[in-house]
PDB file of all heavy atoms in Angstrom:
ATOM      1  N   SER A  25     -37.124   0.824 -16.563  1.00 98.00           N
ATOM      2  CA  SER A  25     -38.180   0.646 -17.582  1.00 98.00           C
ATOM      3  C   SER A  25     -37.551   0.206 -18.937  1.00 98.00           C
ATOM      4  O   SER A  25     -36.320   0.064 -19.053  1.00 98.00           O
ATOM      5  CB  SER A  25     -38.925   1.951 -17.855  1.00 98.00           C
ATOM      6  OG  SER A  25     -37.998   2.894 -18.375  1.00 98.00           O
ATOM      7  N   MET A  26     -38.305   0.029 -19.949  1.00 97.00           N
ATOM      8  CA  MET A  26     -37.723  -0.158 -21.262  1.00 97.00           C
ATOM      9  C   MET A  26     -36.966   1.061 -21.707  1.00 97.00           C
ATOM     10  O   MET A  26     -37.349   2.229 -21.381  1.00 97.00           O
ATOM     11  CB  MET A  26     -38.834  -0.441 -22.310  1.00 97.00           C
ATOM     12  CG  MET A  26     -39.466  -1.848 -22.078  1.00 97.00           C
ATOM     13  SD  MET A  26     -40.534  -2.273 -23.506  1.00 97.00           S
ATOM     14  CE  MET A  26     -39.411  -2.408 -24.803  1.00 97.00           C
ATOM     15  N   PHE A  27     -35.895   0.925 -22.361  1.00 97.00           N
ATOM     16  CA  PHE A  27     -35.039   2.011 -22.936  1.00 97.00           C
ATOM     17  C   PHE A  27     -34.196   2.664 -21.845  1.00 97.00           C
ATOM     18  O   PHE A  27     -33.682   3.798 -22.204  1.00 97.00           O
ATOM     19  CB  PHE A  27     -35.754   3.026 -23.770  1.00 97.00           C
ATOM     20  CG  PHE A  27     -36.684   2.499 -24.752  1.00 97.00           C
ATOM     21  CD1 PHE A  27     -38.073   2.423 -24.622  1.00 97.00           C
ATOM     22  CD2 PHE A  27     -36.237   2.005 -26.041  1.00 97.00           C
ATOM     23  CE1 PHE A  27     -39.016   1.898 -25.612  1.00 97.00           C
ATOM     24  CE2 PHE A  27     -37.022   1.438 -26.998  1.00 97.00           C
ATOM     25  CZ  PHE A  27     -38.411   1.414 -26.689  1.00 97.00           C
ATOM     26  N   SER A  28     -34.219   2.121 -20.708  1.00 98.00           N
ATOM     27  CA  SER A  28     -33.485   2.869 -19.527  1.00 98.00           C
ATOM     28  C   SER A  28     -32.042   2.540 -19.547  1.00 98.00           C
ATOM     29  O   SER A  28     -31.293   3.089 -18.746  1.00 98.00           O
ATOM     30  CB  SER A  28     -34.142   2.465 -18.216  1.00 98.00           C
ATOM     31  OG  SER A  28     -34.052   1.078 -18.040  1.00 98.00           O
ATOM     32  N   GLY A  29     -31.490   1.603 -20.397  1.00 97.00           N
ATOM     33  CA  GLY A  29     -30.111   1.345 -20.444  1.00 97.00           C
ATOM     34  C   GLY A  29     -29.730   0.166 -19.584  1.00 97.00           C
ATOM     35  O   GLY A  29     -28.568   0.028 -19.281  1.00 97.00           O
ATOM     36  N   LYS A  30     -30.662  -0.712 -19.306  1.00 97.00           N
ATOM     37  CA  LYS A  30     -30.276  -2.023 -18.496  1.00 97.00           C
ATOM     38  C   LYS A  30     -29.307  -2.850 -19.248  1.00 97.00           C
ATOM     39  O   LYS A  30     -28.363  -3.299 -18.697  1.00 97.00           O
ATOM     40  CB  LYS A  30     -31.629  -2.700 -18.262  1.00 97.00           C
ATOM     41  CG  LYS A  30     -32.558  -2.036 -17.451  1.00 97.00           C
ATOM     42  CD  LYS A  30     -33.870  -2.796 -17.146  1.00 97.00           C
ATOM     43  CE  LYS A  30     -34.587  -3.328 -18.409  1.00 97.00           C
ATOM     44  NZ  LYS A  30     -35.216  -2.261 -19.196  1.00 97.00           N
ATOM     45  N   THR A  31     -29.639  -3.123 -20.622  1.00 96.00           N
ATOM     46  CA  THR A  31     -28.804  -4.015 -21.342  1.00 96.00           C
ATOM     47  C   THR A  31     -27.419  -3.386 -21.499  1.00 96.00           C
ATOM     48  O   THR A  31     -26.409  -4.024 -21.425  1.00 96.00           O
ATOM     49  CB  THR A  31     -29.432  -4.341 -22.625  1.00 96.00           C
ATOM     50  OG1 THR A  31     -30.634  -4.999 -22.329  1.00 96.00           O
ATOM     51  CG2 THR A  31     -28.651  -5.311 -23.423  1.00 96.00           C
ATOM     52  N   GLU A  32     -27.428  -2.069 -21.815  1.00 96.00           N
ATOM     53  CA  GLU A  32     -26.142  -1.347 -22.068  1.00 96.00           C
ATOM     54  C   GLU A  32     -25.277  -1.474 -20.727  1.00 96.00           C
ATOM     55  O   GLU A  32     -24.033  -1.718 -20.867  1.00 96.00           O
ATOM     56  CB  GLU A  32     -26.354   0.137 -22.230  1.00 96.00           C
ATOM     57  CG  GLU A  32     -26.564   0.549 -23.631  1.00 96.00           C
ATOM     58  CD  GLU A  32     -26.942   2.148 -23.771  1.00 96.00           C
ATOM     59  OE1 GLU A  32     -26.954   2.828 -22.762  1.00 96.00           O
ATOM     60  OE2 GLU A  32     -27.196   2.438 -24.787  1.00 96.00           O
ATOM     61  N   GLU A  33     -25.889  -1.289 -19.646  1.00 97.00           N
ATOM     62  CA  GLU A  33     -25.114  -1.309 -18.365  1.00 97.00           C
ATOM     63  C   GLU A  33     -24.551  -2.776 -18.045  1.00 97.00           C
ATOM     64  O   GLU A  33     -23.491  -2.964 -17.609  1.00 97.00           O
ATOM     65  CB  GLU A  33     -25.993  -0.802 -17.232  1.00 97.00           C
ATOM     66  CG  GLU A  33     -25.411  -0.883 -15.790  1.00 97.00           C
ATOM     67  CD  GLU A  33     -24.100  -0.099 -15.712  1.00 97.00           C
ATOM     68  OE1 GLU A  33     -23.840   0.792 -16.524  1.00 97.00           O
ATOM     69  OE2 GLU A  33     -23.411  -0.306 -14.662  1.00 97.00           O
ATOM     70  N   VAL A  65     -28.795  -7.868 -27.222  1.00 84.00           N
ATOM     71  CA  VAL A  65     -28.501  -6.570 -28.034  1.00 84.00           C
ATOM     72  C   VAL A  65     -29.288  -5.406 -27.238  1.00 84.00           C
ATOM     73  O   VAL A  65     -30.453  -5.555 -26.965  1.00 84.00           O
ATOM     74  CB  VAL A  65     -29.080  -6.700 -29.494  1.00 84.00           C
ATOM     75  CG1 VAL A  65     -28.634  -5.488 -30.257  1.00 84.00           C
ATOM     76  CG2 VAL A  65     -28.332  -7.906 -30.142  1.00 84.00           C
ATOM     77  N   SER A  66     -28.614  -4.295 -27.087  1.00 83.00           N
ATOM     78  CA  SER A  66     -29.207  -3.148 -26.512  1.00 83.00           C
ATOM     79  C   SER A  66     -29.883  -2.352 -27.657  1.00 83.00           C
ATOM     80  O   SER A  66     -29.737  -2.515 -28.812  1.00 83.00           O
ATOM     81  CB  SER A  66     -28.258  -2.291 -25.828  1.00 83.00           C
ATOM     82  OG  SER A  66     -27.521  -1.467 -26.676  1.00 83.00           O
ATOM     83  N   HIS A  67     -30.837  -1.438 -27.150  1.00 87.00           N
ATOM     84  CA  HIS A  67     -31.454  -0.558 -28.216  1.00 87.00           C
ATOM     85  C   HIS A  67     -30.435   0.490 -28.817  1.00 87.00           C
ATOM     86  O   HIS A  67     -30.756   1.112 -29.837  1.00 87.00           O
ATOM     87  CB  HIS A  67     -32.549   0.340 -27.491  1.00 87.00           C
ATOM     88  CG  HIS A  67     -33.741  -0.590 -27.061  1.00 87.00           C
ATOM     89  ND1 HIS A  67     -33.962  -0.839 -25.728  1.00 87.00           N
ATOM     90  CD2 HIS A  67     -34.638  -1.167 -27.815  1.00 87.00           C
ATOM     91  CE1 HIS A  67     -35.041  -1.598 -25.649  1.00 87.00           C
ATOM     92  NE2 HIS A  67     -35.405  -1.813 -26.854  1.00 87.00           N
ATOM     93  N   ASN A  68     -29.203   0.442 -28.274  1.00 81.00           N
ATOM     94  CA  ASN A  68     -28.225   1.281 -28.773  1.00 81.00           C
ATOM     95  C   ASN A  68     -27.232   0.437 -29.693  1.00 81.00           C
ATOM     96  O   ASN A  68     -26.202   0.882 -30.034  1.00 81.00           O
ATOM     97  CB  ASN A  68     -27.334   1.873 -27.617  1.00 81.00           C
ATOM     98  CG  ASN A  68     -26.775   3.179 -28.014  1.00 81.00           C
ATOM     99  OD1 ASN A  68     -27.115   3.819 -28.963  1.00 81.00           O
ATOM    100  ND2 ASN A  68     -25.846   3.609 -27.213  1.00 81.00           N
ATOM    101  N   HIS A 150     -32.722   4.899 -15.500  1.00 98.00           N
ATOM    102  CA  HIS A 150     -33.898   5.549 -15.937  1.00 98.00           C
ATOM    103  C   HIS A 150     -33.894   5.943 -17.468  1.00 98.00           C
ATOM    104  O   HIS A 150     -32.762   6.220 -17.964  1.00 98.00           O
ATOM    105  CB  HIS A 150     -34.177   6.945 -15.172  1.00 98.00           C
ATOM    106  CG  HIS A 150     -34.323   6.586 -13.741  1.00 98.00           C
ATOM    107  ND1 HIS A 150     -33.300   6.618 -12.858  1.00 98.00           N
ATOM    108  CD2 HIS A 150     -35.448   6.250 -13.034  1.00 98.00           C
ATOM    109  CE1 HIS A 150     -33.724   6.347 -11.597  1.00 98.00           C
ATOM    110  NE2 HIS A 150     -35.053   6.158 -11.655  1.00 98.00           N
ATOM    111  N   ALA A 151     -35.069   5.947 -18.151  1.00 98.00           N
ATOM    112  CA  ALA A 151     -35.019   6.413 -19.501  1.00 98.00           C
ATOM    113  C   ALA A 151     -35.565   7.822 -19.550  1.00 98.00           C
ATOM    114  O   ALA A 151     -35.627   8.482 -18.500  1.00 98.00           O
ATOM    115  CB  ALA A 151     -36.055   5.488 -20.310  1.00 98.00           C
ATOM    116  N   VAL A 152     -35.718   8.385 -20.727  1.00 98.00           N
ATOM    117  CA  VAL A 152     -36.227   9.780 -20.864  1.00 98.00           C
ATOM    118  C   VAL A 152     -37.785   9.628 -21.357  1.00 98.00           C
ATOM    119  O   VAL A 152     -38.070   9.015 -22.227  1.00 98.00           O
ATOM    120  CB  VAL A 152     -35.390  10.548 -21.963  1.00 98.00           C
ATOM    121  CG1 VAL A 152     -35.975  11.977 -22.103  1.00 98.00           C
ATOM    122  CG2 VAL A 152     -33.966  10.638 -21.552  1.00 98.00           C
ATOM    123  N   CYS A 153     -38.535  10.382 -20.633  1.00 98.00           N
ATOM    124  CA  CYS A 153     -40.030  10.385 -20.953  1.00 98.00           C
ATOM    125  C   CYS A 153     -40.132  10.994 -22.363  1.00 98.00           C
ATOM    126  O   CYS A 153     -39.779  12.151 -22.648  1.00 98.00           O
ATOM    127  CB  CYS A 153     -40.860  11.177 -20.017  1.00 98.00           C
ATOM    128  SG  CYS A 153     -42.564  11.262 -20.493  1.00 98.00           S
ATOM    129  N   VAL A 154     -40.782  10.204 -23.304  1.00 97.00           N
ATOM    130  CA  VAL A 154     -40.811  10.696 -24.689  1.00 97.00           C
ATOM    131  C   VAL A 154     -41.984  11.687 -24.872  1.00 97.00           C
ATOM    132  O   VAL A 154     -41.976  12.461 -25.871  1.00 97.00           O
ATOM    133  CB  VAL A 154     -41.103   9.457 -25.719  1.00 97.00           C
ATOM    134  CG1 VAL A 154     -39.850   8.595 -25.726  1.00 97.00           C
ATOM    135  CG2 VAL A 154     -42.353   8.802 -25.357  1.00 97.00           C
ATOM    136  N   ALA A 183     -41.145   4.878 -23.263  1.00 98.00           N
ATOM    137  CA  ALA A 183     -40.800   5.230 -21.879  1.00 98.00           C
ATOM    138  C   ALA A 183     -41.548   6.490 -21.459  1.00 98.00           C
ATOM    139  O   ALA A 183     -41.485   7.444 -22.195  1.00 98.00           O
ATOM    140  CB  ALA A 183     -39.237   5.536 -21.798  1.00 98.00           C
TER     141      ALA A 183
HETATM  142  P1  ADP B 201     -33.009  -1.382 -21.937  1.00 61.74           P
HETATM  143  O1  ADP B 201     -32.348  -2.653 -21.836  1.00 61.74           O
HETATM  144  O2  ADP B 201     -33.230  -0.807 -20.557  1.00 61.74           O
HETATM  145  O3  ADP B 201     -34.314  -1.565 -22.730  1.00 61.74           O
HETATM  146  P2  ADP B 201     -30.980  -0.505 -23.764  1.00 61.74           P
HETATM  147  O4  ADP B 201     -29.725  -0.617 -23.012  1.00 61.74           O
HETATM  148  O5  ADP B 201     -31.338  -1.711 -24.705  1.00 61.74           O
HETATM  149  O6  ADP B 201     -32.199  -0.272 -22.692  1.00 61.74           O
HETATM  150  O7  ADP B 201     -31.050   0.889 -24.584  1.00 61.74           O
HETATM  151  C1  ADP B 201     -30.696   2.041 -23.997  1.00 61.74           C
HETATM  152  C2  ADP B 201     -30.660   3.009 -25.268  1.00 61.74           C
HETATM  153  O8  ADP B 201     -31.980   3.175 -25.761  1.00 61.74           O
HETATM  154  C3  ADP B 201     -30.148   4.445 -24.893  1.00 61.74           C
HETATM  155  O9  ADP B 201     -28.763   4.519 -24.852  1.00 61.74           O
HETATM  156  C4  ADP B 201     -30.688   5.245 -26.121  1.00 61.74           C
HETATM  157  O10 ADP B 201     -29.836   5.165 -27.155  1.00 61.74           O
HETATM  158  C5  ADP B 201     -31.958   4.405 -26.574  1.00 61.74           C
HETATM  159  N1  ADP B 201     -33.219   5.058 -26.325  1.00 61.74           N
HETATM  160  C6  ADP B 201     -34.345   5.052 -27.090  1.00 61.74           C
HETATM  161  N2  ADP B 201     -35.397   5.637 -26.553  1.00 61.74           N
HETATM  162  C7  ADP B 201     -34.990   6.161 -25.283  1.00 61.74           C
HETATM  163  C8  ADP B 201     -35.581   6.855 -24.274  1.00 61.74           C
HETATM  164  N3  ADP B 201     -36.899   7.321 -24.314  1.00 61.74           N
HETATM  165  N4  ADP B 201     -34.866   7.162 -23.129  1.00 61.74           N
HETATM  166  C9  ADP B 201     -33.605   6.816 -23.145  1.00 61.74           C
HETATM  167  N5  ADP B 201     -32.947   6.142 -24.084  1.00 61.74           N
HETATM  168  C10 ADP B 201     -33.631   5.792 -25.080  1.00 61.74           C
END
Side-chain angles (χ1 to χ4, degrees):
S25 68
M26 288 191 68
F27 308 104
S28 61
K30 300 181 298 298
T31 301
E32 268 175 9
E33 178 61 14
V65 184
S66 79
H67 292 108
N68 209 14
H150 301 92
V152 176
C153 176
V154 295

